[in-house]
Amino acid sequence: MTTKVISVSSAPFSGQKPGTSGLRKKVTVFQQERYLENFVQAIFDTLSGQQGKTLVVGGDGRYYNDVAIQTILRMAAAAGFGRALVGCDGILSTPAASAVIRKWQAFGGLILSASHNPGGPDGDFGIKYNLGNGGPANEAFTDAVYQRTQEISAYRTIEAADIDLGRLGEFQVGDMAVSIIDPVADYAELLESLFDFERIAALLARADFRMRFDAMHAVTGPYAKAILESRLGAPAGTVVNGTPLPDFGGGHPDPNPVYAAELVAALADSRSGLSFGAASDGDGDRNMVVGRGFVVSPSDSLAVIAANHALVPGYAAGLAGVARSMPTSCAVDRVAQALGIPCYETPTGWKYFGSLLDAGKATICGEESAGTGSSHVREKDGLWAVLYWLNILAVRDTPADVIVREHWQRFGRNVYSRHDYEGIETAAADRLMDGLRARLPQLAGSLCNGLRIEAADDFAYIDPVDGSRSERQGIRIMLDDGSRVVFRLSGTGTEGATLRVYLERFVADPSRHEVPTQEALAPLVQLAETVAQIAGITGRKKPDVIS
Ligand code: VG1
Ligand code: CO
């Protein structure tokens, strides 16, 4: 029997433009009648050939996740999908969704998440579409979706009751089969194929090695418990804040020294007995790695991961290349040079790594925003990074901080920090960026606060695989000693604008590697103020978050 498709008339909402990673808005915005439906219909209208194919659906468990999934399933049935794979309880971390899409050769997937943004009725919600390669749709696709949202006149659904998302098994929504799957199994199996689980288990069993993983009340709890505690035998309690809550316990599930301050403090306190700490974000794609009294900067983590690939089974055969987003520090570039492999520089956002990974040009990718990953999926992957570190620690039998310090000795240190000015007025943020853009020609070659600016531009990227061009991806001010200041506006926020200022300085001399990061970067902070007039234009004297 064919279930009748119902067409519900609708009209466009303004602003349904996907940002760095999908559409993110306040829950209250998504709760408006037809809002989610319009966006999902626009995605389905942009696809072709989905008839009878499989759609993966899941999210980070935040408030509205379950409601959205039921709506999506009815619409997917109306759009002709033959099957949906849905994580039990609606749960799928972003990297696990990518793994499931790839393993089952699904047509694509809808991931419901606003990542590290707070959740709950007053928090944020988000949705994005991933392609059959498991990675976020490219700009051409998201632009087409946006176009479609602006001309939509109806969405299509079917009449069907909600299904029980909490029970594994086979269900039916109209003519579409729905499999409620274990959200962890496929992903855990994939990670097990990449790392030396025996050696990691031996490390975790040692009396002198104690680890804490902070899941920040977000999606990685079940994954970390299953992998670290059940499969690898870490003591129960290794994973803290391990139950996903719809509002993340009222917290901000962003694994950085500000929002994961408790973990950082525990690692700095010798009485805790901890030797290694890690955390992940709302949807499980970001990671933080912490040694004793030492937070590993994400850019350094990427470089260390690349430099130590020979110790990790899945990567021992060699790396085809590495890739980093433009604002990410150049530490990994030095490793690539030493390894004799290419290093690609892409705009911010994981969607730009997809074509490099698909084409076999890059094996490992990373971003300064605590995202690292590899060709095993097409998303950044928090637990992957943590297991990679554990594999390195197990083989080298050296504490994390020593590993990073030794890395600096060999390659030099790219001192790095990001300063975020959150929730500033959109008009002021645009004025600041427009002003910078207008002054670019004068800046190049000038002397500013005694620093020589060698080049200044607005980063544009041409994808080396498909030739697509992305413009206006961030203002770069490059000094003659290799230092950089980069300015960009966030594409993931939901309130006003967030200005990100990325600061980097290369220090070759080992006797100066221990200079505190902010002190080493102080001249660049001043330069940023002088060229961009941050205080003058935004009224902010200092950043809200320093990472
Ligand atoms: C931020 C990060 C970027 C990351 C993106 C999505 O984007 O800077 O590196 O890819 O979030 O990550 P923006 O536009 O706000 O700077 V996640 O973990 O929020 O999916
Ligand atoms: Co995330």
Side-chain angles (χ1 to χ4, degrees):
M1 192 191 80
T2 305
T3 313
K4 194 166 145 259
V5 172
I6 310 160
S7 180
V8 181
S9 65
S10 190
F13 286 93
S14 63
Q16 289 197 321
K17 193 173 173 56
T20 312
S21 182
L23 184 69
R24 290 188 190 171
K25 301 282 175 195
K26 291 273 163 222
V27 166
T28 48
V29 173
F30 268 104
Q31 281 171 327
Q32 295 171 85
E33 215 176 306
R34 302 180 286 97
Y35 191 91
L36 172 72
E37 288 86 345
N38 273 16
F39 190 70
V40 171
Q41 189 62 53
I43 291 172
F44 290 165
D45 286 350
T46 307
L47 300 174
S48 61
Q50 75 272 29
Q51 270 67 30
K53 301 276 172 58
T54 299
L55 181 72
V56 172
V57 187
D60 61 12
R62 67 178 59 226
Y63 186 83
Y64 208 55
N65 194 43
D66 46 356
V67 178
I69 288 176
Q70 305 285 357
T71 300
I72 287 168
L73 290 177
R74 284 187 278 269
M75 290 185 68
F81 280 97
R83 172 176 295 275
L85 300 180
V86 185
C88 194
D89 291 324
I91 293 283
L92 274 177
S93 78
T94 293
S98 187
V100 170
I101 292 171
R102 292 170 69 77
K103 176 169 175 182
W104 300 106
Q105 296 175 357
F107 188 79
L110 283 169
I111 303 181
L112 310 174
S113 167
S115 188
H116 54 287
N117 296 14
D122 302 319
D124 291 351
F125 191 73
I127 174 168
K128 70 171 174 171
Y129 182 73
N130 281 28
L131 305 167
N133 71 348
N138 58 22
E139 234 180 53
F141 185 91
T142 55
D143 285 350
V145 170
Y146 175 58
Q147 269 309 313
R148 189 71 199 130
T149 64
Q150 295 311 291
E151 56 205 29
I152 200 155
S153 58
Y155 70 85
R156 286 185 298 284
T157 187
I158 62 163
E159 224 160 89
D162 284 0
I163 58 167
D164 181 358
L165 299 175
R167 217 152 37 90
L168 295 176
E170 301 300 317
F171 302 85
Q172 201 70 29
V173 173
D175 297 328
M176 184 177 76
V178 178
S179 307
I180 303 290
I181 60 166
D182 173 350
V184 180
D186 294 329
Y187 173 76
E189 177 187 274
L190 176 60
L191 292 191
E192 195 160 356
S193 74
L194 301 172
F195 301 110
D196 191 337
F197 268 37
E198 248 170 66
R199 251 175 135 155
I200 297 174
L203 174 72
L204 291 169
R206 275 166 58 164
D208 61 347
F209 186 88
R210 267 193 59 210
M211 169 179 185
R212 178 178 295 172
F213 181 94
D214 190 342
M216 304 187 86
H217 305 288
V219 82
T220 40
Y223 294 88
K225 279 190 210 160
I227 295 171
L228 295 173
E229 295 183 6
S230 302
R231 293 196 183 211
L232 289 165
T238 297
V239 178
V240 300
N241 302 323
T243 304
L245 300 175
D247 67 347
F248 308 125
H252 204 132
D254 196 354
N256 63 36
V258 176
Y259 296 118
E262 234 175 88
L263 179 71
V264 174
L267 265 295
D269 181 354
S270 57
R271 286 167 308 179
S272 73
L274 291 169
S275 21
F276 184 64
S280 196
D281 72 334
D283 62 330
D285 56 358
R286 297 187 181 198
N287 74 90
M288 181 167 75
V289 166
V290 194
R292 277 197 192 110
F294 187 96
V295 178
V296 181
S297 107
S299 293
D300 281 342
S301 176
L302 173 63
V304 168
I305 280 174
N308 288 277
H309 74 87
L311 310 180
V312 181
Y315 306 88
L319 307 178
V322 290
R324 64 164 170 82
S325 67
M326 180 273 283
T328 303
S329 99
C330 301
V332 75
D333 302 39
R334 296 175 184 277
V335 175
Q337 204 180 11
L339 292 172
I341 56 172
C343 176
Y344 298 90
E345 184 178 41
T346 60
T348 295
W350 210 261
K351 58 179 178 270
Y352 297 102
F353 293 132
S355 68
L356 298 173
L357 292 164
D358 284 351
K361 287 182 178 296
T363 309
I364 285 178
C365 308
E367 296 192 277
E368 52 64 43
S369 54
T372 345
S374 86
S375 50
H376 70 295
V377 288
R378 293 292 179 276
E379 289 279 4
K380 52 191 191 272
D381 188 342
L383 263 169
W384 172 89
V386 174
L387 289 170
Y388 202 117
W389 266 92
L390 284 169
N391 199 140
I392 297 173
L393 297 178
V395 177
R396 289 188 48 179
D397 194 13
T398 307
D401 61 310
V402 179
I403 285 178
V404 177
R405 290 194 167 100
E406 286 179 6
H407 185 95
W408 292 343
Q409 297 236 325
R410 175 162 172 223
F411 293 97
R413 179 177 176 198
N414 290 72
V415 182
Y416 188 86
S417 181
R418 187 177 94 187
H419 291 193
D420 290 336
Y421 299 80
E422 295 181 339
I424 56 182
E425 212 189 299
T426 307
D430 289 341
R431 215 160 52 238
L432 185 145
M433 293 301 285
D434 290 345
L436 270 172
R437 243 175 230 121
R439 284 196 299 282
L440 281 174
Q442 291 112 275
L443 285 173
S446 72
L447 199 62
C448 183
N449 298 358
L451 301 172
R452 169 78 55 197
I453 298 178
E454 195 176 69
D457 67 3
D458 193 349
F459 182 62
Y461 176 67
I462 298 177
D463 185 305
V465 181
D466 64 21
S468 59
R469 193 178 162 83
S470 307
E471 317 254 2
R472 293 164 71 104
Q473 296 296 326
I475 304 285
R476 302 191 289 184
I477 312 277
M478 292 164 279
L479 304 186
D480 57 358
D481 66 351
S483 298
R484 297 193 302 166
V485 180
V486 174
F487 300 87
R488 27 175 318 275
L489 297 183
S490 159
T492 57
T494 59
E495 256 170 85
T498 292
L499 170 69
R500 305 204 195 283
V501 183
Y502 308 81
L503 309 146
E504 174 177 7
R505 180 175 163 197
F506 181 64
V507 178
D509 178 2
S511 74
R512 293 176 51 218
H513 285 166
E514 299 300 328
V515 176
T517 302
Q518 299 307 320
E519 198 179 309
L521 296 174
L524 295 179
V525 174
Q526 271 171 14
L527 176 79
E529 181 54 44
T530 307
V531 300
Q533 304 284 302
I534 302 170
I537 296 176
T538 69
R540 303 290 180 81
K541 294 226 162 48
K542 41 178 205 355
D544 300 285
V545 178
I546 293 182
S547 54

